[in-house]
Amino acid sequence: MPNVNNPLQNIESRLISSFMFNSKLFDIYYLDKDIFSIEEYGIIFEEMKNQYIKYHEVDYQKILQSFMNDNKMLDIVCSINDNAFSDHNIENDIKFINNEFRKRKMKELIYDSKGNDFEEIISMIEDIPNYYHNTRTGEILTEEEIFNLVTNEKSHLIFDLSFMKDFEISFNTLNTIGARTGKGKTAFSLNLLLDLGKKYRCLYFNLENPKDVIYQRLIQIDSRLTKNQIKEQKNENKVSDSIYRIRNGLKIKLYDSREASNIETIKRIISEETRNDFCIVFLDNINNIDTLRRFTNLREKINHITKQLLNIKASMNCVIFALAQLRRSDTNSRPTEKDLKESGSIEEDSDNVFLLHDISDDKTSINATYELITPKSRNDINRQKELIFKKGYQIFEERPE
């Protein structure tokens, strides 16, 4: 039974009651039953979620009927009902519960990896609330940093691409890649996908092109062959090698609009894929994502999608790269953050913003000179990089000095 004197369990009960009496929250927050500290709470939450999926509402009486043969569960459901609160911040509750879940997992991992007495380790950790001390360097490490150390994970993504090595993209961040129409957003993101897919599981959602088109562009990048060269018989072995590397050497999954066209479906897929492992998510592009709700204009729709992305970032184990359309311009002016305004609140809600600028602006050029601009960075590091975009191969490379 839940402990009424346990602050965490009180907050968990309060959160479940919020979902019980405002079932539309299931459209906004996609939580997993495992985040709850006691199994019974997770079972009740999962029953509510399944009921909402089936009936588009949560009925308190139906929940009671689900546990009619289990007096213990009935008592807990009734206690949750009695704990209904209206005056509280749901996002803060979710953040707190998620942090407590990470602490529990961290303690389990420390125990499993070190083989020490579990209770002794917990006692040691609880003696130093909130922070842990690194005796080698004298630095104070947060619980999240300790969690990453214990699980042998880094606190930020590791790139092999030379032009991305200076950027520290932390876990659980929302990152925007912006460019004007036809200026290489997709090609740039596919370069990142091929690089990161060697180390991390990656999900790539493309809402414009079918999967076979994306695969062909990946083959172009990997094989360094143009679209026409791929069709030539003399390059058959090179193409076959590239296909093998992409299918067997990379941890990537591609989705097109036939499988995931709206943000609700995308959230469900990400939740399932991140349940037991970290993932990097690419969304190409947010302007084309649909919703089950209807909005009066594009800006409102994008703001709704951005809110969902913030929830995914906070509650699921992933990094998000969201591709966004920049404001159209008759001139080849250097883009700024203001050019993202047509994409709603994505700029202000992003941790990092990357903008692509075609400096050469020459449609006939095989190798175009680009600038990678970072007007916003979580680490307050604004860097500009000059790149070469080899259009035929769809490859971005750092421009030699």
Side-chain angles (χ1 to χ4, degrees):
M1 281 289 291
N3 181 356
V4 293
N5 296 316
N6 185 311
L8 171 60
Q9 291 177 15
N10 274 330
I11 292 175
E12 290 175 339
S13 173
R14 185 171 72 189
L15 182 67
I16 295 172
S17 72
S18 297
F19 278 77
M20 187 181 292
F21 297 104
N22 184 7
S23 58
K24 295 299 181 184
L25 290 173
F26 282 105
D27 288 331
I28 303 173
Y29 304 102
Y30 203 100
L31 304 180
D32 191 274
K33 62 182 178 66
D34 293 335
I35 71 166
F36 295 102
S37 61
I38 60 173
E39 184 181 8
E40 290 84 357
Y41 278 172
I43 293 171
I44 293 168
F45 190 81
E46 194 72 6
E47 175 63 29
M48 289 164 49
K49 185 193 295 184
N50 291 335
Q51 194 180 113
Y52 183 74
I53 292 170
K54 187 173 182 180
Y55 302 110
H56 302 291
E57 65 176 2
V58 176
D59 188 309
Y60 178 62
Q61 295 302 321
K62 287 181 180 176
I63 297 171
L64 290 175
Q65 290 172 13
S66 301
F67 302 109
M68 194 57 69
N69 297 322
D70 190 329
N71 290 332
K72 178 184 176 183
M73 292 297 288
L74 281 174
D75 288 343
I76 296 175
V77 172
C78 291
S79 70
I80 290 173
N81 178 47
D82 294 338
N83 197 23
F85 284 86
S86 58
D87 185 21
H88 70 104
N89 189 311
I90 291 176
E91 291 190 0
N92 285 346
D93 284 354
I94 292 174
K95 184 177 180 180
F96 178 79
I97 292 170
N98 266 319
N99 284 339
E100 293 300 312
F101 170 68
R102 287 177 67 84
K103 289 180 196 175
R104 291 198 303 276
K105 297 302 291 183
M106 180 183 69
K107 292 173 184 178
E108 291 171 13
L109 286 164
I110 291 174
Y111 173 59
D112 290 340
S113 61
K114 302 297 183 184
N116 294 326
D117 179 73
F118 185 58
E119 294 301 325
E120 180 183 344
I121 291 173
I122 290 179
S123 175
M124 290 168 58
I125 291 175
E126 289 178 343
D127 283 343
I128 315 175
N130 302 323
Y131 294 94
Y132 306 95
H133 195 262
N134 182 342
T135 54
R136 286 183 57 199
T137 64
E139 295 176 349
I140 298 297
L141 301 180
T142 66
E143 292 158 348
E144 183 174 354
E145 288 169 328
I146 290 289
F147 179 87
N148 291 330
L149 289 172
V150 171
T151 55
N152 295 318
E153 295 173 347
K154 301 296 182 183
S155 59
H156 58 84
L157 299 181
I158 306 298
F159 290 93
D160 288 333
L161 289 170
S162 62
F163 58 83
M164 292 299 295
K165 285 186 176 181
D166 291 339
F167 300 113
E168 289 193 0
I169 299 179
S170 302
F171 292 171
N172 296 98
T173 53
L174 172 59
N175 309 277
T176 296
I177 300 171
R180 295 193 173 100
T181 303
K183 293 299 182 180
K185 290 190 299 294
T186 297
F188 184 82
S189 67
L190 292 178
N191 277 255
L192 300 187
L193 177 66
L194 278 176
D195 181 44
L196 295 170
K198 300 171 188 173
K199 306 182 186 73
Y200 310 98
R201 291 176 63 246
C202 297
L203 312 177
Y204 193 96
F205 297 87
N206 190 286
L207 283 301
E208 290 185 273
N209 301 301
K211 283 193 288 189
D212 57 344
V213 173
I214 299 301
Y215 270 120
Q216 184 185 53
R217 295 179 74 171
L218 289 173
I219 293 168
Q220 283 179 253
I221 299 169
D222 182 81
S223 64
R224 303 182 79 89
L225 295 171
T226 66
K227 210 183 289 187
N228 290 333
Q229 288 172 334
I230 286 174
K231 300 174 184 177
E232 295 176 6
Q233 189 172 0
K234 66 178 182 179
N235 293 318
E236 187 176 329
N237 289 338
K238 197 172 183 180
V239 172
S240 296
D241 290 343
S242 181
I243 292 172
Y244 181 83
R245 281 193 297 271
I246 292 170
R247 288 184 174 173
N248 298 283
L250 300 178
K251 308 171 185 178
I252 64 173
K253 284 187 179 182
L254 302 185
Y255 300 87
D256 57 26
S257 60
R258 293 170 294 185
E259 300 163 294
S261 61
N262 60 67
I263 189 63
E264 291 79 12
T265 303
I266 290 170
K267 279 182 71 175
R268 177 181 55 77
I269 292 172
I270 296 172
S271 176
E272 291 170 354
E273 292 289 342
T274 57
R275 183 163 298 180
N276 298 311
D277 200 2
F278 170 79
C279 278
I280 299 173
V281 178
F282 292 86
L283 299 171
D284 184 9
N285 65 58
I286 62 167
N287 302 72
N288 294 327
I289 298 176
D290 205 351
T291 64
L292 296 180
R293 291 174 57 185
R294 290 292 167 257
F295 296 91
T296 56
N297 57 59
L298 178 61
R299 185 178 179 83
E300 283 186 6
K301 187 186 85 166
I302 298 296
N303 285 343
H304 171 74
I305 291 169
T306 302
K307 187 174 183 179
Q308 306 307 305
L309 297 182
L310 289 175
N311 172 248
I312 292 171
K313 177 192 85 167
S315 61
M316 302 179 197
N317 191 18
C318 66
V319 167
I320 302 172
F321 288 96
L323 279 62
Q325 186 71 41
L326 292 183
R327 181 172 52 196
R328 295 179 185 274
S329 174
D330 294 331
T331 64
N332 187 37
S333 57
R334 190 174 187 265
T336 68
E337 294 168 274
K338 294 180 180 178
D339 293 308
L340 276 170
K341 294 303 179 185
E342 289 184 9
S343 294
S345 61
I346 188 69
E347 178 270 327
E348 60 191 63
D349 290 328
S350 294
D351 297 286
N352 302 289
V353 174
F354 299 91
L355 303 178
L356 290 170
H357 176 42
D358 182 358
I359 299 174
S360 54
D361 195 29
D362 184 355
K363 294 181 180 179
T364 63
S365 175
I366 298 174
N367 297 331
T369 302
Y370 269 64
E371 184 181 14
L372 178 61
I373 307 163
T374 55
K376 182 178 182 181
S377 169
R378 190 180 189 185
N379 300 316
D380 294 324
I381 301 174
N382 296 326
R383 292 190 175 95
Q384 284 70 46
K385 298 272 188 179
E386 281 206 2
L387 310 177
I388 299 296
F389 179 31
K390 299 182 177 180
K391 297 180 182 179
Y393 306 138
Q394 297 288 289
I395 290 175
F396 277 92
E397 294 178 345
E398 189 162 9
R399 186 180 184 184
E401 295 182 2

